[in-house]
Amino acid sequence: MMKPYFNLSCSVLLFFVFLGYTSQAQNIQVNAKLDRSSISMGDQTTLSLSAALPVKEKISFPALSDTISSKIQIVKAGKTDTVSDPKNPGIQTITQRYIITSFDAGIQVIPAFSFQSGTQHFATISIPLEVTAVKVDTTKAIYDIKQPLAVSYSWIDWLKDHWLWVAGSVLLIVVLAGVVYYLRKRPKKGPPPVVVPIIPPDQLALNKLQSIRDQKLWEQGHIKRYYSELSDVIREYLESRYQIKALEHTSEEIFTELRHKEMPQQQRANLRQMLNLADLVKFAKEKPLNTENELSMEHAIGFVKQTKESQAKPENKAHRSHDE
């Protein structure tokens, strides 16, 4: 009694297992198609291999390299696309594309391709590809199928091809311009400055007085010139020594400004006598004696020596002590 029941159960179980494999197999569909089924010899068309299968399933595409058959070559393998079915999100379609060509006229057959999913194999149908030969007019000379195309080449294209050379040239010009600008604008090194020794005012005045004496002006009858140069030297010394505008002032104005300046009384008197005599000679045409001419020089030299900076303080100090 149990044996017939067991056999029936096994039969039912095998039926449902077979039904499940059949249903799964029916959910996988493979296909091969051409964008153009007819091309000229040497022209190109696209071969698309696709497989529609459940999202969770995996499938292996046929491995293609350089050729499909002895008369059909693969020019380029395209990318693989995966698209979901908008009506059934659980189904996806995977597509691989190949650009193919043929140089043999006639009907070329693209063979069936085999896909594998698990232990199952799925095959496409073979596809005919018509390759037409190029008609040749034997009455005309041989020429290219397509004439050479004239490619426009602008200066922008030339810059793109040679931008490194252009950039290098521009940089070199900028650098050279910068160097030239720097060389022109940089401070030029002149000769070293001449160091002129600073001569003290008293020494400068004594040198000038000695030069006047050496010229022997009054001895040659140049009385006015003698006193003019003599008084100018003393006025210049007064400006440097006492900081007064002696060259612009009259003798009386000079004495007024020197009123509060410290100097020996004898030298103050000698200065007044010398400047007053010089004014008489220059403006009143006075004719001094020879002794007066020589004495004026002595007074000028003595005044400078007795009032110079290095000896002014001790003499002034002695003068104050005498007054006290």
Side-chain angles (χ1 to χ4, degrees), residues 38-275:
S38 177
I39 61 173
S40 298
M41 188 170 57
D43 203 354
Q44 298 174 357
T45 185
T46 301
L47 170 65
S48 300
L49 303 181
S50 62
L53 68 161
V55 175
K56 295 182 180 181
E57 293 294 330
K58 295 182 179 180
I59 192 168
S60 298
F61 277 67
L64 302 180
S65 56
D66 297 332
T67 60
I68 294 177
S69 67
S70 60
K71 296 183 179 181
I72 300 177
Q73 292 82 37
I74 295 177
V75 178
K76 180 181 179 182
K79 63 180 181 178
T80 302
D81 295 329
T82 302
V83 180
S84 299
D85 188 350
K87 296 181 179 180
N88 188 359
I91 300 298
Q92 63 180 358
T93 300
I94 304 174
T95 304
Q96 288 185 353
R97 295 179 176 85
Y98 300 89
I99 299 176
I100 63 175
T101 188
S102 178
F103 296 93
D104 293 281
I107 302 297
Q108 310 299 337
V109 178
I110 297 176
F113 296 100
S114 177
F115 295 72
Q116 183 175 356
S117 177
T119 59
Q120 294 183 322
H121 293 270
F122 305 91
T124 64
I125 61 174
S126 59
I127 307 173
L129 173 62
E130 182 183 6
V131 181
T132 59
V134 179
K135 295 181 180 180
V136 179
D137 189 353
T138 57
T139 62
K140 295 183 179 179
I142 299 176
Y143 58 89
D144 293 334
I145 297 176
K146 293 184 177 179
Q147 295 296 328
L149 298 177
V151 180
S152 61
Y153 193 72
S154 64
W155 65 272
I156 296 179
D157 297 324
W158 184 89
L159 285 178
K160 290 179 180 179
D161 294 338
H162 303 85
W163 70 271
L164 282 176
W165 288 97
V166 174
S169 301
V170 172
L171 180 61
L172 180 60
I173 293 173
V174 171
V175 171
L176 292 177
V179 172
V180 172
Y181 178 82
Y182 170 76
L183 293 177
R184 289 185 176 181
K185 295 297 182 181
R186 69 174 179 175
K188 297 182 179 180
K189 294 182 179 179
V194 179
V195 179
V196 179
I198 300 176
I199 303 176
D202 58 288
Q203 186 61 48
L204 183 62
L206 292 175
N207 293 341
K208 290 182 177 180
L209 290 174
Q210 185 60 44
S211 177
I212 295 173
R213 171 175 278 180
D214 293 340
Q215 294 180 46
K216 299 184 181 298
L217 296 175
W218 67 266
E219 290 91 342
Q220 299 176 19
H222 304 297
I223 305 298
K224 185 176 181 180
R225 178 183 171 189
Y226 171 76
Y227 277 96
S228 178
E229 293 186 8
L230 184 66
S231 63
D232 287 343
V233 171
I234 295 302
R235 287 170 184 270
E236 291 175 358
Y237 172 74
L238 290 175
E239 285 199 354
S240 300
R241 174 65 179 83
Y242 295 104
Q243 289 77 48
I244 63 175
K245 297 181 179 180
L247 291 171
E248 302 177 5
H249 291 171
T250 64
S251 297
E252 289 302 322
E253 290 173 340
I254 291 174
F255 297 141
T256 300
E257 292 197 22
L258 290 176
R259 185 174 50 186
H260 302 294
K261 305 292 183 180
E262 294 182 359
M263 69 176 61
Q265 290 297 332
Q266 183 60 45
Q267 298 304 324
R268 192 185 298 271
N270 291 344
L271 176 65
R272 178 180 291 274
Q273 181 181 359
M274 178 192 60
L275 292 180

